[in-house]
Amino acid sequence: MRRVLLSLILCAQSASMSAASGHVVFHTASFGSGRSVSLGLAGGGPARDPAFDFDVVITLSEFDGGGTVIYRDGRRHEASVRCVSPAMVRINSADYMVDVSARAGADWKHDLWAALCSAPVS
């Protein structure tokens, strides 16, 4: 049931992202001179592999110190996310374990997992 609810949330999120012509940012890393790189969700849905919960498309954008986009990666970066233990993110064929106790912002894989898997379910 949780997987179905989370799938509905992700699909609704994807629809609202498309309507707003933007992406939901799940991680931002800041660098010297005020530059930052943001990772966002451009879409997704239920995973094709039953060992995972979601398949998503990640976007990458770089901003200058004033918030102006200076680079937007046009490629599709696909990932799969597993919510239950052992939590993990798969990029291509590499599996990365997720430390679910990590603090937000410390690791992009944790932040992706948290954006998809820690949504409140009532």
Side-chain angles (χ1 to χ4, degrees), residues 40-75:
L41 293 173
R48 293 177 302 275
D49 182 336
F52 288 85
D53 297 295
F54 299 104
D55 287 336
V56 296
V57 176
I58 298 171
T59 61
L60 182 145
S61 300
E62 183 179 358
F63 300 87
D64 68 11
T68 302
V69 175
I70 56 176
Y71 175 74
R72 189 171 311 252
D73 188 351
R75 294 178 291 170

Side-chain angles (χ1 to χ4, degrees), residues 17 23-27 38-43 56-61 77 112:
M17 288 185 299
H23 301 134
V24 174
V25 173
F26 64 86
H27 179 80
S38 292
L39 302 176
L41 293 173
V56 296
V57 176
I58 298 171
T59 61
L60 182 145
S61 300
H77 302 280
L112 173 61

